[in-house]
Amino acid sequence: MHNKDAIDASNHQGVDSNYAWIRLCISLLLMIIGGSGMYMAIIVLPEVQQEFGVARADASLPYTLTMIGFGVGGVLMGKLADRFGVWLPIMLGGSCLSAGFLLGGGAASLWYFSLVQGLLVGMLGSSSSFAPLMADASLWFVKRRGIAVGIVASGNYMAGAIWPPLVRHWVDLYGWRDTMMGVGIFCVMTMLPLALLLRRRPPGHVLVSSVANDQAQGASSNPQADNKPTQSPEHSLGISAGALLALLCLAGVACCIAMAMPQVHIVAYCTDLGFGAVKGAQMLSVMLAAGVVSRLIFGLISDRIGGLRTLLLGSVLQGLALLLFIPFQDLSSLFLVSALFGLFQGGIVPAYAIIVREYFPPQVAATRVGIVIMFTLGGMALGGWMSGWIFDVSGSYEAAFMNGIAWNLANLLIVVGLLYRQRQMKQPFLTANHAA
């Protein structure tokens, strides 16, 4: 089969088709609904701290365990998606997310609440609607892969823009326990039917396998081809797949420790400054709404400059936004800086999914994306707890912001190193092509 025939066959199955865009919209809805699990513990943090009579770091524990569970669950759900399709992990995740909210709403102790958050809400619940859906979107698009992944990933931030003000309103009216139970019922009633609409398997492997066969046949029929470079430097860094995966995981931890400081503690930060939890929830909503725009813009950018350069851009801008939090502490300035923070850092995590699709086979996309996302979420979990601990020790969040900036610099060093390696590999490739 020629390359053109492979592309036609793949398109017939839905790559870059109208169906792919419809499927993307369904994935976006699932990301918004499933994303409720990532933000619930943040929104009710003041009530949980007061009711259970614990320190700020201890009250941050449910979120920390949620993120750890979310990360581990992303790998498990990714393996399920690679083997059976994305619909199965979504079915499982919707059921467990609902159970987690229902049981969490009846928790009698902080440890029980934290365990439920980590196991049911994080590992077996919300994790199903993040890495697997981003990987699935990357398999249904070729020409617009960056913007497609950006769109579905923006659902996570849409969840952050939608859920905090709604949940705060319901908490004020009905209390945090009844609110959690109500959200749990809503999740199971919506996620399960939507999951059934995604039962069709992604077609990306048809194109990849066919093109690979054509390249192999062409190489065997032309002995001189063996002496010419056949791998683009844009898809090879000259290091092993395991080493690249490890570096991406380390970069993910570093950038998300920095990212966690404003996202996890903005509600508590505003409460400490005297603005109240409601203003804090609104600020978080503004931050994540800006993140939606950011993920769309960075998706378009990644289609032009690639995942690694997009990651570098996002990391530089995130560091600048973190610096702005330190001198500005009045209400209007904080709203503005929160919006800038969301706009600057929103494209970072989706960039990792793009990088995985650029440097790893599509047959393991969901698993590899899940592994990298696990480490980014581990960074969010560690950053959330670490910032709370620094606050307890120092009595303010200024040192916590400085800690985030330091970790952001570590992320920058890794990304710059990978880009330098890419540039090194590109030079001999271009020289060989020119000589040929």
Side-chain angles (χ1 to χ4, degrees):
M1 180 182 291
H2 297 295
N3 289 357
K4 183 178 184 300
D5 296 332
I7 294 172
D8 290 340
S10 183
N11 283 339
H12 179 70
Q13 296 189 36
V15 174
D16 289 316
S17 66
N18 290 335
Y19 170 76
W21 287 102
I22 294 172
R23 185 183 180 93
L24 189 68
C25 292
I26 297 171
S27 298
L28 178 62
L29 285 174
L30 283 166
M31 185 78 83
I32 293 172
I33 299 170
S36 59
M38 289 188 65
Y39 301 104
M40 186 64 71
I42 301 174
I43 302 167
V44 301
L45 189 152
E47 284 75 18
V48 169
Q49 181 181 5
Q50 182 179 4
E51 180 161 337
F52 293 118
V54 295
R56 183 66 52 81
D58 293 332
S60 302
L61 181 63
Y63 175 81
T64 299
L65 294 182
T66 299
M67 291 297 100
I68 293 174
F70 195 111
V72 174
V75 179
L76 300 176
M77 296 298 179
K79 289 182 178 294
L80 282 177
D82 282 335
R83 185 169 182 179
F84 301 105
V86 75
W87 71 275
L88 184 59
I90 294 295
M91 292 281 289
L92 175 62
S95 301
C96 291
L97 180 63
S98 176
F101 282 151
L102 291 171
L103 292 174
S109 68
L110 178 65
W111 282 106
Y112 180 82
F113 180 74
S114 300
L115 182 63
V116 167
Q117 282 286 133
L119 182 61
L120 292 177
V121 176
M123 187 168 74
L124 299 176
S126 287
S127 65
S128 68
S129 62
F130 195 67
L133 285 175
M134 282 199 295
D136 184 73
S138 74
L139 295 174
W140 284 91
F141 292 86
V142 176
K143 296 179 180 179
R144 301 299 183 198
R145 180 178 293 151
I147 186 59
V149 172
I151 288 172
V152 70
S154 71
N156 175 256
Y157 275 179
M158 288 184 186
I162 292 170
W163 287 109
L166 286 178
V167 170
R168 284 309 317 178
H169 176 70
W170 293 333
V171 167
D172 291 339
L173 290 178
Y174 307 111
W176 69 274
R177 295 181 180 275
D178 289 343
T179 297
M180 287 191 66
M181 293 180 180
V183 174
I185 294 172
F186 173 79
C187 287
V188 74
M189 291 180 63
T190 53
M191 292 183 69
L192 269 58
L194 289 172
L196 294 176
L197 300 177
L198 301 181
R199 297 193 65 177
R200 185 171 173 179
R201 294 303 302 271
H205 65 282
V206 175
L207 176 61
V208 172
S209 60
S210 299
V211 172
N213 288 337
D214 286 346
Q215 290 175 341
Q217 292 172 3
S220 63
S221 64
N222 183 7
Q224 295 180 354
D226 295 335
N227 298 322
K228 295 180 181 180
T230 59
Q231 189 174 33
S232 167
E234 296 298 322
H235 295 79
S236 174
L237 297 175
I239 59 177
S240 68
L244 175 58
L245 185 64
L247 287 172
L248 290 176
C249 290
L250 288 175
V253 171
C255 74
C256 288
I257 288 178
M259 191 183 299
M261 174 53 235
Q263 285 196 21
V264 177
H265 289 273
I266 193 66
V267 175
Y269 184 45
C270 285
T271 302
D272 292 342
L273 292 175
F275 302 132
V278 173
K279 291 295 183 183
Q282 292 173 352
M283 204 169 292
L284 178 62
S285 180
V286 168
M287 181 187 299
L288 299 177
V292 173
V293 178
S294 175
R295 289 191 165 173
L296 298 178
I297 294 174
F298 275 89
L300 291 170
I301 291 173
S302 66
D303 280 332
R304 293 181 175 271
I305 67 174
L308 274 176
R309 291 183 179 88
T310 302
L311 179 58
L312 176 66
L313 176 62
S315 185
V316 170
L317 292 176
Q318 175 176 267
L320 292 175
L322 283 170
L323 280 170
L324 293 176
F325 272 104
I326 297 175
F328 299 106
Q329 295 185 359
D330 61 276
L331 186 60
S332 299
S333 297
L334 278 175
F335 267 107
L336 178 59
V337 174
S338 296
L340 288 175
F341 182 80
L343 189 62
F344 288 167
Q345 58 82 39
I348 291 178
V349 172
Y352 289 106
I354 298 298
I355 295 168
V356 168
R357 280 295 287 117
E358 289 174 346
Y359 295 98
F360 293 91
Q363 293 86 350
V364 295
T367 303
R368 294 294 186 272
V369 171
I371 291 172
V372 177
I373 295 302
M374 175 180 69
F375 279 87
T376 65
L377 294 170
M380 291 292 292
L382 180 59
W385 174 85
M386 189 183 296
S387 297
W389 179 81
I390 291 174
F391 173 85
D392 288 336
V393 171
S394 66
S396 74
Y397 277 118
E398 182 174 342
F401 280 115
M402 295 302 299
N403 176 69
I405 293 169
W407 282 98
N408 197 82
L409 288 174
N411 171 265
L412 276 173
L413 290 175
I414 295 173
V415 179
V416 168
L418 289 174
L419 284 169
Y420 177 74
R421 183 63 180 172
Q422 183 186 78
R423 184 178 180 182
Q424 282 186 317
M425 293 299 298
K426 186 175 182 179
Q427 294 303 321
F429 180 88
L430 293 177
T431 302
N433 268 352
H434 181 72

